[in-house]
Amino acid sequence: MAIDLRSDWTAADVSALLASVEDDRSWRLEVSADGIARLNDLSTVPDAAHEESLHCFFEIWDQGTDFVGPGAACDKSLCKKIEKILRENYPALKGARTLSAL
């Protein structure tokens, strides 16, 4: 699942994105240069070219920290925080490319 940040979207879309994966590995929420937010499975470490192609990304959410999966999807406060950070940083970055304000 992905969210097109160029279209109308809400915290409910963030919730659906978080619910689309299990908290059984490490994940990172990434935003591509064209505004597509998706969760990247970090079982395979991305190379430098991938990192450079991104508009921004969150710090790594390690397995078992409940930043993804059903628990995270039900956490309205978390979903609203992620929504706020994404809105503040796309299309223009507010600060650094690594978003870690959670």
Side-chain angles (χ1 to χ4, degrees), residues 5-76:
L5 301 180
R6 299 165 297 174
S7 66
D8 291 333
W9 61 278
T10 67
D13 296 303
V14 173
S15 176
L17 177 64
L18 296 178
S20 71
V21 300
E22 294 294 324
D23 191 13
D24 60 354
R25 64 194 79 173
S26 295
W27 296 92
R28 182 170 69 182
L29 179 56
E30 301 177 342
V31 178
S32 65
D34 59 352
I36 305 300
R38 67 176 41 98
L39 290 165
N40 184 24
D41 175 355
L42 291 179
S43 297
T44 304
V45 177
D47 61 18
H50 175 75
E51 298 262 323
E52 287 303 314
S53 73
L54 297 174
H55 175 73
C56 60
F57 51 89
F58 281 78
E59 62 193 5
I60 296 169
W61 296 337
D62 291 325
Q63 175 182 349
T65 57
D66 208 26
F67 278 102
V68 297
C74 291
D75 185 337
K76 290 183 185 203

Side-chain angles (χ1 to χ4, degrees), residues 55-57 88-99:
H55 175 73
C56 60
F57 51 89
E88 289 175 348
N89 288 283
Y90 190 85
L93 281 173
K94 181 179 176 181
R97 287 178 60 221
T98 303
L99 308 174

